[in-house]
């Protein structure tokens, strides 16, 4: 038992009292401090040192919690995986969208073939064969890729 | 300075307090099959990063009692297990990003505090915080150690403390650190640490006063 006296300052005394309380050497603060404030603080120390807060976990609880953590972790991993595939839409083939994907590819192929068949459309610096000197306008040049993008967006749109 | 031993630690290295990293030494024994309980936290973290899932199990076994005890001081009884599990899930999520700038135990303490704060944020969104202690009391079993009213009073008083006051009390009572160790952790000298401890208890006493 330690008594509060002038040889120790308040901080030192309380630290020492706490050490002894945690070691189980102090059970009652009333004898330890005549100073009302220190007695009240000693009381708080004893309340915090209640066995309820210091109780050890049972082995069965440790094991059960471990199992639950594993299960929750597995569940989290699964949900995270599906959200990533969703973001990058890598699940096309799993969602019966093969037809839409094929349509988009076909559209791009047609546009590509048109460009390859009529290179004058892209160059824009000469008349096309048999076109009687007609020049493709700038707007027309932009229309084809724009139409292709719109078509792809429409074909790949998400249906509710 | 964080030490990542490449091999095992000797049998003589023991740690009574998991929040203290055991001193690291070198040896040549290979530990690919088993992880002994006396290896350092940093070594286990490195093993986990290298793909050894058992390393996490060792960290879990080592730290569960302390995480649980820390949570128990500030979280109501029905939610202690859930918050504790949340902490370990968070460890699993972010252990790969742990760079070892601080000790694992320090990092884990921060994570526990964050999860406790998150618990209260979520809870206060759902219900009136003034009604929370009543909600706790409804589901708490009566235990001989400490009456329900006392448990609720202490937890409410603890969780209302400013962070630095709460932390110094938890370091002493939940983590079981000596004042010298606490001084090292908070980066203060011993006298300042003891003074902070007294002020923390004083603030806690004030929080407890209306219920005395």
């Amino acid at each position: 038992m330690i008594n509060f006296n002038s040889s120790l300052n308040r901080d030192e005394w309380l630290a020492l009292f706490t050490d002894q309380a945690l070691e189980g050497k102090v059970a009652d603060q009333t004898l330890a401090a005549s100073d009302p404030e220190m007695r009240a603080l000693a009381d708080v120390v004893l309340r915090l040192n209640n066995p309820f807060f210091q109780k050890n976990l049972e082995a069965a609880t440790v094991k059960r919690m471990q199992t639950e953590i594993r299960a929750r972790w597995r569940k989290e991993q699964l949900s995270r995986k599906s959200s990533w595939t969703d973001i990058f839409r890598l699940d096309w083939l799993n969602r019966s969208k093969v037809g839409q994907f094929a349509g988009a590819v076909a559209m791009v192929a047609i546009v590509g073939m048109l460009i390859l068949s009529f290179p004058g459309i892209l160059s824009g610096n000469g008349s096309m064969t048999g076109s009687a000197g007609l020049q493709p306008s700038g707007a027309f040049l932009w229309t084809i890729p724009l139409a292709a993008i719109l078509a792809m967006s429409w074909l790949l749109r998400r249906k509710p | 300075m964080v030490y990542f031993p490449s091999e095992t630690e000797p049998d003589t290295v023991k740690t009574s307090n998991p929040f203290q990293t055991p001193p690291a030494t070198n040896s040549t024994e290979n530990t690919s099959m088993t992880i002994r309980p006396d290896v350092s936290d940093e070594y286990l973290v490195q093993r986990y990063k290298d793909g050894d899932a058992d390393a996490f199990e060792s960290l879990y076994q080592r730290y569960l009692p302390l995480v649980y005890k820390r949570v128990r001081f500030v979280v109501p009884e029905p939610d202690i297990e859930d918050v504790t599990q949340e902490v370990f899930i968070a460890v699993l999520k972010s252990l790969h990003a742990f760079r070892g700038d601080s000790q694992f135990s320090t990092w884990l303490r921060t994570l526990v505090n964050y999860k406790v704060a998150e618990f209260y944020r979520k809870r206060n969104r759902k219900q009136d915080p003034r009604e929370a202690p009543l909600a706790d009391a409804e589901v708490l079993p009566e235990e001989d150690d400490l009456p329900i009213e006392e448990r609720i009073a202490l937890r409410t008083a603890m969780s209302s403390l400013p962070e630095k006051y709460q932390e110094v009390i938890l370091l002493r009572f939940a983590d079981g650190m000596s004042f010298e160790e606490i001084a090292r952790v908070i980066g203060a000298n011993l006298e300042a640490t003891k003074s902070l401890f007294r002020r923390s208890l004083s603030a806690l006493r004030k929080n407890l006063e209306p219920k005395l």
Side-chain angles (χ1 to χ4, degrees):
Chain A
M1 181 69 69
I2 50 162
N3 289 306
F4 179 65
N5 57 55
S6 55
S7 65
L8 288 172
N9 70 34
R10 287 164 182 267
D11 300 339
E12 287 287 345
W13 183 85
L14 192 63
L16 195 58
F17 180 85
T18 304
D19 288 344
Q20 295 203 356
L22 285 167
E23 286 168 19
K25 293 178 185 169
V26 178
D28 187 0
Q29 85 289 1
T30 52
L31 297 172
S34 52
D35 181 290
E37 192 203 335
M38 297 314 288
R39 203 162 52 232
L41 293 183
D43 178 60
V44 175
V45 168
L46 294 177
R47 288 170 77 176
L48 286 170
N49 193 35
N50 190 287
F52 171 78
F53 290 112
Q54 307 297 336
K55 207 185 282 175
N56 288 325
L57 275 169
E58 289 172 8
T61 310
V62 174
K63 202 143 187 105
R64 178 176 49 76
M65 283 177 71
Q66 193 168 9
T67 310
E68 286 171 13
I69 289 168
R70 274 200 206 117
R72 283 173 75 166
W73 176 237
R74 238 176 270 130
K75 201 175 161 189
E76 287 225 2
Q77 277 184 313
L78 284 173
S79 64
R80 202 188 305 170
K81 194 178 171 188
S82 63
S83 69
W84 277 103
T85 54
D86 209 29
I87 288 167
F88 292 107
R89 303 187 65 182
L90 298 174
D91 54 346
W92 287 343
L93 298 178
N94 297 332
R95 289 194 177 187
S96 313
K97 287 184 177 173
V98 182
Q100 290 180 17
F101 184 65
V105 170
M107 179 64 76
V108 172
I110 290 165
V111 172
M113 280 173 68
L114 276 170
I115 291 168
L116 288 172
S117 304
F118 305 100
I121 294 172
L122 281 182
S123 64
N125 57 0
S127 60
M128 286 184 280
T129 311
S131 62
L134 290 171
Q135 300 290 320
S137 68
F140 178 70
L141 289 174
W142 284 106
T143 306
I144 293 172
L146 193 65
I149 290 166
L150 285 173
M152 275 188 72
S153 306
W154 181 79
L155 285 167
L156 292 174
R157 77 190 186 284
R158 280 166 179 265
K159 287 176 184 170
Chain B
M1 181 71 180
V2 177
Y3 175 75
F4 286 90
S6 56
E7 303 295 341
T8 56
E9 317 269 69
D11 286 332
T12 51
V13 178
K14 298 286 177 200
T15 170
S16 56
N17 180 356
F19 275 138
Q20 291 171 277
T21 304
T25 53
N26 288 318
S27 162
T28 52
E29 190 187 341
N30 192 323
T31 58
S32 57
M33 295 305 287
T34 55
I35 294 170
R36 298 199 326 238
D38 51 4
V39 296
S40 74
D41 297 338
E42 286 70 26
Y43 175 65
L44 291 173
V45 169
Q46 192 55 51
R47 291 289 299 264
Y48 178 74
K49 284 181 174 181
D50 293 342
D52 184 350
D54 288 345
F56 173 77
E57 304 296 325
S58 296
L59 286 168
Y60 169 82
Q61 296 286 346
R62 182 175 288 184
Y63 281 100
L64 175 69
L66 275 152
V67 169
Y68 189 87
K69 198 185 264 188
R70 192 168 248 263
V71 172
R72 193 173 204 187
F73 265 96
V74 284
V75 168
E77 193 80 355
D79 301 299
I80 295 172
E81 283 196 12
D82 192 51
V83 173
T84 305
Q85 288 182 19
E86 286 285 339
V87 170
F88 283 100
I89 295 286
V91 170
L92 280 165
K93 270 184 194 168
S94 44
L95 204 53
H96 282 289
F98 174 69
R99 293 180 303 172
D101 294 338
S102 62
Q103 287 191 341
F104 174 77
S105 54
T106 308
W107 180 76
L108 182 61
R109 267 198 306 274
T110 310
L111 206 54
V112 174
N113 293 346
Y114 176 79
K115 282 291 163 188
V116 169
E118 189 182 69
F119 163 78
Y120 278 105
R121 266 200 309 276
K122 281 182 186 169
R123 178 171 143 145
N124 291 345
R125 269 204 301 266
K126 282 182 193 165
Q127 67 178 93
D128 185 343
R130 288 166 300 180
E131 289 172 12
L134 299 173
D136 298 341
E138 283 171 18
V139 286
L140 281 177
E142 184 75 60
E143 288 191 30
D144 295 333
D145 296 339
L146 197 60
I148 289 169
E149 298 79 16
E150 172 72 348
R151 269 185 272 169
I152 293 172
L154 278 169
R155 281 203 192 101
T156 310
M158 277 291 284
S159 53
S160 321
L161 282 178
E163 201 182 319
K164 67 174 181 176
Y165 286 173
Q166 192 184 100
E167 186 61 19
V168 75
I169 292 173
L170 288 175
L171 287 169
R172 187 69 191 96
F173 286 95
D175 303 347
M177 283 189 180
S178 68
F179 285 103
E180 287 80 6
E181 288 167 336
I182 295 171
R184 271 199 299 275
V185 166
I186 65 175
N189 64 41
L190 191 55
E191 288 71 32
T193 304
K194 287 177 179 176
S195 175
L196 176 65
F197 180 72
R198 186 181 57 77
R199 282 181 279 127
S200 306
L201 285 184
S202 202
L204 184 62
R205 184 177 70 91
K206 281 194 183 104
N207 284 353
L208 286 164
E209 254 170 11
K211 296 175 183 69
L212 281 172

